[in-house]
Structures are given as structure tokens and as C-alpha cells.
Amino acid sequence: MDATLTLKATATQAAVTLAAIGQGSWYLGEGLAPRRDEVRALQQGLDLGLTLVDTAEMYADGGAEEVVGEALKGRREQAFLVSKVYPWNAGKRSAIQACEDSLRRLGTDYLDMYLLHWPGSIPLEETLAAFERLQADGKIKRFGVSNFDIDELQQWHDLSGDEGAVNQVLYHLGSRGIEHSLRPWQRQQQIPVMAYCPLAQGGRLRRALFAHPELQALAAELKVTVPQLLLAWAIRPVGGQRDVIAIPKAVQPEHVRQNAEALNIHLPDEALARLNAAFPAPGHKTPLDIV
Ligand SMILES: NC(=O)c1ccc[n+]([C@@H]2O[C@H](COP(=O)([O-])OP(=O)(O)OC[C@H]3O[C@@H](n4cnc5c(N)ncnc54)[C@H](OP(=O)(O)O)[C@@H]3O)[C@@H](O)[C@H]2O)c1
């Protein structure tokens, strides 16, 4: 069965169930691949059920949002669209302007979720006031944060209450620091993790990850690829419940296809134990990993 995850209901929004793998968009709109290929990749992902599309005003200076907007033309309602505001644009007025600029580039009149990209110097109260204004005006349905470690997230949670938010953080098999305290606390609060760089940027963030002998052996035994194994691991249920949605970025059609297929991969306990042994989670608190 396809893997899904539910964002709980809030005061203003019904609960929403999403496929546990979505699509990233960093480096889109930068001319690294032909634009039509980037648009087609996002549309292929949507066709295959990867409905969450993550973008940010930062990516290609708004260029990624334009690519996403092109991909969503005529099918906006099929996507769960997430964008992010720069910390220095996250003020009471500036966040309204930044969001409206994102909406224009995306060719839509609402975001399903708006995130503060990382903690900055503007007081969180101001950002929250802006997010609540945008929500009241129907420009964003939900809001949350990104790159918040546990202290910052607790502070945000105390301020914002039970808004069904998410925290988007770096998480892959080679970077398991959030498992020590951040992820358990988020589970308690029912704040899902949106896992960025779930493929360690195609292995670039952790050299030789894709070539690791245990990963290669296990992938071959399970008849999947190493990136599929990494995605299935990232979204694995813990205690019977999923709390992670992974957002790999992929332009190559074969990559998009594989990533969508990873929704159907069940990792047996024995496979999880082998991955744990090869890539143990740290037994102590480590600084939040970021890129
Ligand atoms: N909040 C934040 O601060 C933050 C930071 C970083 C990223 N993000 C978000 O998270 C998304 C994902 O992170 P990311 O793009 O940095 O890294 P990633 O998703 O871990 O890796 C992307 C790379 O993996 C390749 N790839 C994708 N699927 C593959 C597959 N099945 N087999 C082999 N290679 C595959 C892609 O190649 P092709 O494109 O050539 O197919 C691309 O080079 C971003 O796009 C962005 O939306 C957020």
C-alpha cells in the first residue's frame, strides 16, 4: 500500500493526507537542465502521486517558483504547494509582500503551506502575526518552520499553538542527529518532519553514501535501487506511525519514477536493523545539520 502521512486538523483547516514522498525544487530555474524538462519532471511526479511540491523564494531568486508555477498550470488543485520566506523578509509587513510575490511567480492565489526558511533576527512574534494575517486572508492555508532545532521549535510552538505545522529539516541515512531529541519531541506534538536532502543531494553531501557496500547489498537483495532504499528508510513508520515526508528533487524521468515507486517499498525489520548497524543514530545531541 502507498505510504501516506496525515497533517492533523487545525482550527481553520481539515486534516489532510499526503503521500509520504513529495518533490523538491532547489536548483530548478537555474539553467542546469532545460526548463521544459524541469516542468515535465514535476508534472510526471504529480501524475505518479508525489503531490507535495516544495519551493522557496530563495531558489534561483524566484526562478524555481516560476518553473513550479508553469508545471501547475491548469492543475493547481492536484498539488500541495509549499513555499518558504527568507528570514529577513519574515517581518509583519515584509512577509505579506514576500508571500504575494511568491504567489505571483507561482501563478496561484494560495499556498497550502508557508514556512520560515530558517531562524533569523526578526522576532518570531512578528512572523507569526504575518502568517496569521496571510492565513486569515486565504493566501496560505497552513504555516510552519524550517531548520529549527528543538529549543527554537519549542519557542515557536509556545507562540503559535497547535497549528498542525511542520518543521522542514535535513534528514537522511547518513545524518540522523534529529532522532536524538528533535524528532521524538515533534512526534509527541504531532508536528511532522519534512525531510530535505533525503538523498544527501544525490550522495554529494556524504561522499560514497550511494556506494556503501551494505546499502548496495541490501538494495540488491530487496530488488530496489540505493536511492529508493534511502527514501523508504527516511519515511519508515516508527511505532507503527509515519511522521516524515521526504521531498527529493529529481529532474531525470527515471529518478522521478523510482522515487514514486519508493512509496511502495516495505522495509522488513531485518533490513532496518542492518541499516541501523551500518549507519547508527548518534547517542547524544548533535547540532542540527543544515546545508
Ligand atoms: N529548508 C531548507 O533549508 C532546504 C535545504 C535544502 C533543500 N531543501 C528542499 O529539499 C529538496 C531536496 O533536497 P536537495 O534537492 O538539496 O537534495 P536531494 O533531493 O537529496 O538530492 C537531489 C539530487 O538527487 C538526484 N536524484 C533524485 N532522485 C534520484 C534517484 N532516484 N536516483 C539517483 N539520483 C536521484 C537528483 O538528480 P536529478 O535532478 O538529475 O534527477 C539531484 O541531483 C530541495 O530541492 C528543496 O526543495 C530545503
Side-chain angles (χ1 to χ4, degrees):
M1 201 185 79
D2 282 2
T4 59
L5 177 143
T6 298
L7 302 182
K8 66 183 175 182
T10 71
T12 54
Q13 298 297 316
V16 53
T17 298
L18 298 165
I21 296 176
Q23 307 187 74
S25 69
W26 198 11
Y27 295 116
L28 300 189
E30 294 195 352
L32 296 176
R35 188 184 177 94
R36 64 176 178 282
D37 291 356
E38 297 180 342
V39 169
R40 210 181 291 141
L42 290 167
Q43 292 173 335
Q44 181 193 355
L46 280 176
D47 290 340
L48 296 174
L50 305 180
T51 49
L52 187 149
V53 179
D54 176 76
T55 189
E57 63 172 334
M58 179 185 120
Y59 304 156
D61 279 335
E65 289 182 324
E66 290 174 358
V67 172
V68 171
E70 200 173 325
L72 296 188
K73 216 173 269 172
R75 55 191 306 184
R76 165 68 185 90
E77 73 293 343
Q78 292 170 20
F80 185 93
L81 182 55
V82 181
S83 193
K84 303 189 277 300
V85 60
Y86 273 128
W88 49 87
N89 282 346
K92 210 167 168 181
R93 285 206 186 83
S94 52
I96 310 280
Q97 184 63 53
C99 182
E100 284 170 355
D101 291 344
S102 286
L103 292 174
R104 183 177 34 76
R105 288 188 292 264
L106 286 159
T108 183
D109 52 9
Y110 72 98
L111 295 173
D112 294 285
M113 187 171 271
Y114 201 33
L115 306 178
L116 172 58
H117 207 146
W118 63 88
S121 55
I122 291 178
L124 290 178
E125 289 85 348
E126 264 205 54
T127 303
L128 179 63
F131 283 2
E132 286 176 341
R133 174 82 261 154
L134 287 165
Q135 193 180 39
D137 290 346
K139 290 175 183 163
I140 65 175
K141 298 228 188 266
R142 293 166 186 264
F143 54 80
V145 294
S146 176
N147 294 301
F148 271 43
D149 207 344
I150 187 157
D151 292 350
E152 293 149 335
L153 189 63
Q154 284 174 343
Q155 203 192 336
W156 174 256
H157 187 67
D158 287 348
L159 284 173
S160 64
D162 210 17
E163 268 300 326
V166 304
N167 186 21
Q168 184 179 116
V169 290
L170 187 151
Y171 185 51
H172 59 77
L173 184 63
S175 178
R176 300 182 60 177
I178 66 164
E179 289 179 37
H180 180 262
S181 41
L182 182 61
R183 184 175 174 188
W185 187 79
Q186 290 195 207
R187 277 177 72 82
Q188 249 177 34
Q189 308 300 326
Q190 294 178 267
I191 300 174
V193 169
M194 206 181 279
Y196 76 69
C197 301
L199 299 174
Q201 293 197 328
R204 284 184 291 279
L205 292 180
R206 177 149 172 162
R207 282 183 59 219
L209 181 65
F210 280 23
H212 192 282
E214 186 66 329
L215 277 182
Q216 295 253 349
L218 192 54
E221 283 168 42
L222 296 171
K223 298 189 172 44
V224 299
T225 65
V226 166
Q228 286 180 317
L229 189 52
L230 290 172
L231 291 178
W233 177 87
I235 62 165
R236 72 202 181 283
V238 173
Q241 215 163 4
R242 291 187 202 271
D243 59 334
V244 174
I245 178 161
I247 49 167
K249 170 262 179 186
V251 169
Q252 296 181 49
E254 174 56 18
H255 289 169
V256 180
R257 193 192 61 73
Q258 282 185 21
N259 297 352
E261 262 183 14
L263 285 167
N264 300 315
I265 298 170
H266 167 73
L267 296 181
D269 287 347
E270 189 248 335
L272 291 172
R274 281 169 62 183
L275 291 173
N276 259 336
F279 297 89
H284 56 278
K285 173 88 183 83
T286 52
L288 186 65
D289 207 356
I290 53 171
V291 284

Short mmCIF file of all heavy atoms in Angstrom, two decimals, residues 80-128:
data_model
loop_
_atom_site.label_atom_id
_atom_site.label_comp_id
_atom_site.label_asym_id
_atom_site.label_seq_id
_atom_site.Cartn_x
_atom_site.Cartn_y
_atom_site.Cartn_z
N PHE A 80 -0.05 19.91 -3.34
CA PHE A 80 0.02 20.53 -2.01
C PHE A 80 1.29 21.39 -2.07
O PHE A 80 2.41 20.88 -2.02
CB PHE A 80 0.12 19.46 -0.92
CG PHE A 80 0.07 20.02 0.47
CD1 PHE A 80 -1.13 20.13 1.16
CD2 PHE A 80 1.24 20.44 1.11
CE1 PHE A 80 -1.18 20.65 2.45
CE2 PHE A 80 1.20 20.95 2.40
CZ PHE A 80 -0.01 21.06 3.07
N LEU A 81 1.08 22.69 -2.24
CA LEU A 81 2.19 23.59 -2.60
C LEU A 81 2.77 24.28 -1.36
O LEU A 81 2.05 24.93 -0.60
CB LEU A 81 1.65 24.63 -3.60
CG LEU A 81 2.62 25.66 -4.15
CD1 LEU A 81 3.84 25.02 -4.81
CD2 LEU A 81 1.88 26.54 -5.17
N VAL A 82 4.08 24.12 -1.21
CA VAL A 82 4.78 24.69 -0.05
C VAL A 82 5.82 25.69 -0.56
O VAL A 82 6.58 25.38 -1.47
CB VAL A 82 5.54 23.57 0.71
CG1 VAL A 82 6.26 24.15 1.94
CG2 VAL A 82 4.60 22.44 1.11
N SER A 83 5.84 26.88 0.02
CA SER A 83 6.96 27.79 -0.27
C SER A 83 7.52 28.35 1.04
O SER A 83 6.94 28.13 2.11
CB SER A 83 6.55 28.91 -1.23
OG SER A 83 7.74 29.57 -1.69
N LYS A 84 8.67 29.02 0.91
CA LYS A 84 9.37 29.46 2.12
C LYS A 84 9.81 30.92 1.98
O LYS A 84 10.19 31.35 0.89
CB LYS A 84 10.59 28.55 2.36
CG LYS A 84 10.22 27.08 2.48
CD LYS A 84 11.38 26.21 2.93
CE LYS A 84 12.32 25.77 1.86
NZ LYS A 84 11.75 24.96 0.76
N VAL A 85 9.77 31.60 3.10
CA VAL A 85 10.15 33.01 3.13
C VAL A 85 11.54 33.15 3.75
O VAL A 85 11.87 32.46 4.73
CB VAL A 85 9.09 33.85 3.90
CG1 VAL A 85 8.93 33.38 5.35
CG2 VAL A 85 9.41 35.34 3.85
N TYR A 86 12.36 34.03 3.17
CA TYR A 86 13.67 34.34 3.76
C TYR A 86 13.48 34.89 5.17
O TYR A 86 12.54 35.68 5.40
CB TYR A 86 14.34 35.46 2.97
CG TYR A 86 15.15 35.07 1.77
CD1 TYR A 86 14.92 35.68 0.54
CD2 TYR A 86 16.22 34.17 1.87
CE1 TYR A 86 15.70 35.37 -0.57
CE2 TYR A 86 17.00 33.87 0.76
CZ TYR A 86 16.74 34.47 -0.46
OH TYR A 86 17.50 34.18 -1.54
N PRO A 87 14.36 34.59 6.10
CA PRO A 87 14.21 35.13 7.46
C PRO A 87 14.17 36.66 7.48
O PRO A 87 13.44 37.25 8.28
CB PRO A 87 15.44 34.62 8.21
CG PRO A 87 16.11 33.64 7.33
CD PRO A 87 15.48 33.65 5.98
N TRP A 88 14.92 37.31 6.59
CA TRP A 88 14.94 38.78 6.62
C TRP A 88 13.70 39.38 5.93
O TRP A 88 13.52 40.57 5.93
CB TRP A 88 16.23 39.35 6.01
CG TRP A 88 16.58 38.76 4.68
CD1 TRP A 88 16.16 39.20 3.46
CD2 TRP A 88 17.45 37.66 4.45
NE1 TRP A 88 16.70 38.41 2.47
CE2 TRP A 88 17.51 37.46 3.05
CE3 TRP A 88 18.19 36.79 5.28
CZ2 TRP A 88 18.26 36.45 2.46
CZ3 TRP A 88 18.94 35.79 4.68
CH2 TRP A 88 18.98 35.62 3.30
N ASN A 89 12.87 38.53 5.33
CA ASN A 89 11.60 39.01 4.77
C ASN A 89 10.43 38.59 5.65
O ASN A 89 9.28 38.69 5.22
CB ASN A 89 11.37 38.42 3.36
CG ASN A 89 12.18 39.13 2.30
OD1 ASN A 89 12.70 40.21 2.56
ND2 ASN A 89 12.30 38.54 1.14
N ALA A 90 10.73 38.09 6.85
CA ALA A 90 9.67 37.47 7.65
C ALA A 90 9.09 38.42 8.69
O ALA A 90 8.67 38.01 9.77
CB ALA A 90 10.19 36.19 8.31
N GLY A 91 9.08 39.71 8.39
CA GLY A 91 8.50 40.71 9.30
C GLY A 91 7.00 40.84 9.08
O GLY A 91 6.44 40.26 8.15
N LYS A 92 6.41 41.64 9.96
CA LYS A 92 4.94 41.77 9.95
C LYS A 92 4.42 42.22 8.58
O LYS A 92 3.42 41.72 8.09
CB LYS A 92 4.54 42.78 11.03
CG LYS A 92 3.19 42.50 11.62
CD LYS A 92 2.99 43.32 12.87
CE LYS A 92 1.53 43.26 13.29
NZ LYS A 92 1.26 44.04 14.48
N ARG A 93 5.13 43.17 7.95
CA ARG A 93 4.69 43.63 6.62
C ARG A 93 5.45 42.92 5.51
O ARG A 93 4.88 42.54 4.49
CB ARG A 93 4.93 45.14 6.49
CG ARG A 93 3.94 45.93 7.26
CD ARG A 93 3.73 47.33 6.69
NE ARG A 93 2.87 48.09 7.58
CZ ARG A 93 3.31 48.73 8.66
NH1 ARG A 93 4.59 48.74 8.96
NH2 ARG A 93 2.48 49.37 9.45
N SER A 94 6.76 42.74 5.73
CA SER A 94 7.59 42.20 4.63
C SER A 94 7.17 40.78 4.25
O SER A 94 7.24 40.40 3.08
CB SER A 94 9.07 42.23 5.01
OG SER A 94 9.29 41.61 6.26
N ALA A 95 6.67 40.01 5.21
CA ALA A 95 6.27 38.63 4.87
C ALA A 95 5.03 38.62 4.00
O ALA A 95 4.85 37.73 3.17
CB ALA A 95 6.02 37.82 6.15
N ILE A 96 4.18 39.62 4.18
CA ILE A 96 2.98 39.71 3.33
C ILE A 96 3.42 39.96 1.89
O ILE A 96 2.98 39.29 0.95
CB ILE A 96 2.05 40.86 3.80
CG1 ILE A 96 1.79 40.79 5.31
CG2 ILE A 96 0.76 40.91 2.96
CD1 ILE A 96 0.77 39.82 5.78
N GLN A 97 4.35 40.92 1.75
CA GLN A 97 4.85 41.26 0.41
C GLN A 97 5.56 40.05 -0.21
O GLN A 97 5.34 39.71 -1.37
CB GLN A 97 5.81 42.46 0.51
CG GLN A 97 6.32 42.95 -0.83
CD GLN A 97 5.18 43.47 -1.71
OE1 GLN A 97 4.41 44.33 -1.29
NE2 GLN A 97 5.05 42.92 -2.92
N ALA A 98 6.41 39.39 0.59
CA ALA A 98 7.17 38.24 0.07
C ALA A 98 6.22 37.13 -0.39
O ALA A 98 6.41 36.51 -1.44
CB ALA A 98 8.12 37.71 1.14
N CYS A 99 5.17 36.91 0.39
CA CYS A 99 4.22 35.85 0.04
C CYS A 99 3.48 36.23 -1.25
O CYS A 99 3.31 35.39 -2.15
CB CYS A 99 3.23 35.63 1.18
SG CYS A 99 2.06 34.31 0.84
N GLU A 100 3.07 37.48 -1.35
CA GLU A 100 2.36 37.90 -2.57
C GLU A 100 3.26 37.77 -3.79
O GLU A 100 2.82 37.36 -4.87
CB GLU A 100 1.82 39.32 -2.41
CG GLU A 100 0.59 39.31 -1.50
CD GLU A 100 0.11 40.68 -1.08
OE1 GLU A 100 0.79 41.69 -1.40
OE2 GLU A 100 -0.94 40.74 -0.40
N ASP A 101 4.54 38.08 -3.62
CA ASP A 101 5.49 37.92 -4.74
C ASP A 101 5.60 36.44 -5.13
O ASP A 101 5.64 36.09 -6.31
CB ASP A 101 6.87 38.46 -4.36
CG ASP A 101 6.86 39.99 -4.23
OD1 ASP A 101 5.90 40.63 -4.71
OD2 ASP A 101 7.81 40.54 -3.63
N SER A 102 5.66 35.56 -4.11
CA SER A 102 5.73 34.12 -4.40
C SER A 102 4.47 33.66 -5.14
O SER A 102 4.55 32.92 -6.11
CB SER A 102 5.89 33.31 -3.10
OG SER A 102 7.20 33.46 -2.59
N LEU A 103 3.32 34.12 -4.67
CA LEU A 103 2.05 33.72 -5.31
C LEU A 103 2.03 34.14 -6.78
O LEU A 103 1.62 33.38 -7.65
CB LEU A 103 0.86 34.33 -4.56
CG LEU A 103 0.61 33.79 -3.15
CD1 LEU A 103 -0.51 34.58 -2.46
CD2 LEU A 103 0.24 32.31 -3.18
N ARG A 104 2.53 35.35 -7.03
CA ARG A 104 2.54 35.85 -8.42
C ARG A 104 3.46 34.95 -9.28
O ARG A 104 3.08 34.52 -10.36
CB ARG A 104 3.03 37.30 -8.42
CG ARG A 104 3.02 37.96 -9.80
CD ARG A 104 3.44 39.43 -9.74
NE ARG A 104 4.44 39.74 -8.73
CZ ARG A 104 5.74 39.44 -8.81
NH1 ARG A 104 6.22 38.82 -9.87
NH2 ARG A 104 6.57 39.75 -7.82
N ARG A 105 4.64 34.65 -8.77
CA ARG A 105 5.56 33.81 -9.56
C ARG A 105 4.99 32.41 -9.76
O ARG A 105 5.22 31.76 -10.78
CB ARG A 105 6.93 33.72 -8.86
CG ARG A 105 7.73 35.00 -8.94
CD ARG A 105 9.13 34.81 -8.40
NE ARG A 105 9.17 34.59 -6.96
CZ ARG A 105 9.38 35.53 -6.04
NH1 ARG A 105 9.61 36.77 -6.41
NH2 ARG A 105 9.38 35.24 -4.76
N LEU A 106 4.25 31.94 -8.77
CA LEU A 106 3.69 30.59 -8.83
C LEU A 106 2.38 30.55 -9.62
O LEU A 106 1.85 29.46 -9.90
CB LEU A 106 3.44 30.05 -7.41
CG LEU A 106 4.70 29.65 -6.65
CD1 LEU A 106 4.45 29.63 -5.14
CD2 LEU A 106 5.20 28.28 -7.11
N GLY A 107 1.83 31.72 -9.94
CA GLY A 107 0.60 31.77 -10.71
C GLY A 107 -0.59 31.19 -9.96
O GLY A 107 -1.46 30.55 -10.54
N THR A 108 -0.63 31.41 -8.66
CA THR A 108 -1.73 30.88 -7.85
C THR A 108 -2.16 31.94 -6.84
O THR A 108 -1.46 32.94 -6.63
CB THR A 108 -1.30 29.59 -7.12
OG1 THR A 108 -2.41 29.06 -6.40
CG2 THR A 108 -0.17 29.83 -6.14
N ASP A 109 -3.31 31.73 -6.22
CA ASP A 109 -3.71 32.71 -5.21
C ASP A 109 -3.64 32.15 -3.79
O ASP A 109 -4.07 32.81 -2.85
CB ASP A 109 -5.10 33.29 -5.51
CG ASP A 109 -6.15 32.22 -5.75
OD1 ASP A 109 -5.83 31.04 -5.51
OD2 ASP A 109 -7.28 32.57 -6.15
N TYR A 110 -3.10 30.94 -3.64
CA TYR A 110 -2.90 30.44 -2.27
C TYR A 110 -1.75 29.42 -2.22
O TYR A 110 -1.47 28.74 -3.21
CB TYR A 110 -4.17 29.80 -1.72
CG TYR A 110 -4.51 28.46 -2.35
CD1 TYR A 110 -4.16 27.25 -1.73
CD2 TYR A 110 -5.15 28.41 -3.58
CE1 TYR A 110 -4.46 26.03 -2.32
CE2 TYR A 110 -5.45 27.18 -4.18
CZ TYR A 110 -5.10 26.01 -3.53
OH TYR A 110 -5.37 24.80 -4.13
N LEU A 111 -1.13 29.35 -1.06
CA LEU A 111 -0.15 28.29 -0.77
C LEU A 111 -0.82 27.32 0.21
O LEU A 111 -1.56 27.75 1.09
CB LEU A 111 1.09 28.85 -0.09
CG LEU A 111 1.96 29.81 -0.90
CD1 LEU A 111 3.04 30.41 0.00
CD2 LEU A 111 2.60 29.07 -2.07
N ASP A 112 -0.52 26.05 0.06
CA ASP A 112 -1.02 25.11 1.06
C ASP A 112 -0.23 25.22 2.35
O ASP A 112 -0.76 24.94 3.43
CB ASP A 112 -0.95 23.69 0.49
CG ASP A 112 -1.90 23.53 -0.67
OD1 ASP A 112 -3.11 23.43 -0.42
OD2 ASP A 112 -1.44 23.58 -1.83
N MET A 113 1.04 25.60 2.22
CA MET A 113 1.84 25.79 3.43
C MET A 113 2.94 26.82 3.17
O MET A 113 3.53 26.83 2.10
CB MET A 113 2.45 24.45 3.87
CG MET A 113 3.15 24.54 5.20
SD MET A 113 3.62 22.93 5.81
CE MET A 113 2.19 22.47 6.72
N TYR A 114 3.19 27.65 4.17
CA TYR A 114 4.23 28.68 4.06
C TYR A 114 5.17 28.48 5.25
O TYR A 114 4.71 28.40 6.39
CB TYR A 114 3.58 30.06 4.11
CG TYR A 114 4.40 31.20 3.55
CD1 TYR A 114 5.27 31.01 2.47
CD2 TYR A 114 4.27 32.49 4.06
CE1 TYR A 114 5.98 32.09 1.93
CE2 TYR A 114 4.98 33.57 3.53
CZ TYR A 114 5.83 33.35 2.46
OH TYR A 114 6.53 34.40 1.93
N LEU A 115 6.47 28.42 4.96
CA LEU A 115 7.44 28.14 6.02
C LEU A 115 8.44 29.28 6.16
O LEU A 115 8.85 29.87 5.15
CB LEU A 115 8.22 26.85 5.70
CG LEU A 115 7.43 25.58 5.40
CD1 LEU A 115 8.39 24.43 5.06
CD2 LEU A 115 6.57 25.20 6.59
N LEU A 116 8.85 29.52 7.39
CA LEU A 116 10.00 30.40 7.64
C LEU A 116 11.25 29.56 7.32
O LEU A 116 11.47 28.50 7.92
CB LEU A 116 10.00 30.85 9.11
CG LEU A 116 11.22 31.62 9.59
CD1 LEU A 116 11.47 32.88 8.76
CD2 LEU A 116 11.06 31.99 11.07
N HIS A 117 12.07 30.02 6.37
CA HIS A 117 13.12 29.16 5.80
C HIS A 117 14.18 28.74 6.83
O HIS A 117 14.66 27.63 6.83
CB HIS A 117 13.78 29.87 4.61
CG HIS A 117 14.36 28.95 3.60
ND1 HIS A 117 14.39 29.21 2.26
CD2 HIS A 117 14.96 27.73 3.71
CE1 HIS A 117 14.96 28.21 1.59
NE2 HIS A 117 15.33 27.31 2.47
N TRP A 118 14.56 29.67 7.68
CA TRP A 118 15.44 29.34 8.82
C TRP A 118 15.31 30.46 9.85
O TRP A 118 14.83 31.54 9.51
CB TRP A 118 16.89 29.09 8.38
CG TRP A 118 17.64 30.23 7.75
CD1 TRP A 118 18.36 31.19 8.40
CD2 TRP A 118 17.76 30.53 6.34
NE1 TRP A 118 18.91 32.06 7.49
CE2 TRP A 118 18.57 31.68 6.22
CE3 TRP A 118 17.28 29.93 5.17
CZ2 TRP A 118 18.89 32.25 4.98
CZ3 TRP A 118 17.59 30.50 3.94
CH2 TRP A 118 18.39 31.64 3.85
N PRO A 119 15.71 30.21 11.10
CA PRO A 119 15.54 31.23 12.13
C PRO A 119 16.42 32.44 11.82
O PRO A 119 17.57 32.28 11.41
CB PRO A 119 16.02 30.55 13.42
CG PRO A 119 16.20 29.11 13.10
CD PRO A 119 16.34 28.98 11.62
N GLY A 120 15.89 33.63 12.01
CA GLY A 120 16.66 34.85 11.76
C GLY A 120 16.56 35.80 12.93
O GLY A 120 16.32 35.36 14.06
N SER A 121 16.72 37.10 12.65
CA SER A 121 16.75 38.05 13.76
C SER A 121 15.40 38.75 13.97
O SER A 121 15.23 39.44 14.97
CB SER A 121 17.86 39.07 13.54
OG SER A 121 17.67 39.67 12.29
N ILE A 122 14.48 38.60 13.04
CA ILE A 122 13.15 39.21 13.23
C ILE A 122 12.41 38.40 14.30
O ILE A 122 12.39 37.16 14.23
CB ILE A 122 12.36 39.24 11.90
CG1 ILE A 122 13.02 40.24 10.95
CG2 ILE A 122 10.89 39.58 12.13
CD1 ILE A 122 12.39 40.36 9.58
N PRO A 123 11.84 39.07 15.31
CA PRO A 123 11.17 38.31 16.38
C PRO A 123 10.10 37.36 15.80
O PRO A 123 9.35 37.75 14.90
CB PRO A 123 10.52 39.40 17.24
CG PRO A 123 11.30 40.64 16.95
CD PRO A 123 11.80 40.52 15.53
N LEU A 124 10.03 36.18 16.36
CA LEU A 124 9.07 35.18 15.87
C LEU A 124 7.64 35.68 15.98
O LEU A 124 6.78 35.31 15.19
CB LEU A 124 9.24 33.87 16.66
CG LEU A 124 10.53 33.08 16.39
CD1 LEU A 124 10.58 31.84 17.27
CD2 LEU A 124 10.65 32.70 14.92
N GLU A 125 7.39 36.53 16.99
CA GLU A 125 6.03 37.07 17.16
C GLU A 125 5.59 37.81 15.90
O GLU A 125 4.43 37.73 15.49
CB GLU A 125 5.96 38.05 18.35
CG GLU A 125 6.08 37.42 19.71
CD GLU A 125 7.53 37.20 20.16
OE1 GLU A 125 8.45 37.33 19.31
OE2 GLU A 125 7.74 36.88 21.33
N GLU A 126 6.53 38.52 15.30
CA GLU A 126 6.21 39.30 14.08
C GLU A 126 5.90 38.37 12.93
O GLU A 126 4.95 38.59 12.17
CB GLU A 126 7.42 40.15 13.68
CG GLU A 126 7.39 41.55 14.19
CD GLU A 126 8.23 42.46 13.30
OE1 GLU A 126 8.01 42.50 12.07
OE2 GLU A 126 9.11 43.12 13.85
N THR A 127 6.72 37.34 12.78
CA THR A 127 6.50 36.38 11.69
C THR A 127 5.15 35.70 11.88
O THR A 127 4.38 35.54 10.93
CB THR A 127 7.64 35.34 11.67
OG1 THR A 127 8.87 36.04 11.54
CG2 THR A 127 7.47 34.36 10.52
N LEU A 128 4.88 35.32 13.11
CA LEU A 128 3.61 34.65 13.39
C LEU A 128 2.43 35.56 13.05
O LEU A 128 1.45 35.11 12.43
CB LEU A 128 3.57 34.22 14.86
CG LEU A 128 2.29 33.52 15.29
CD1 LEU A 128 2.10 32.21 14.53
CD2 LEU A 128 2.32 33.26 16.81
#
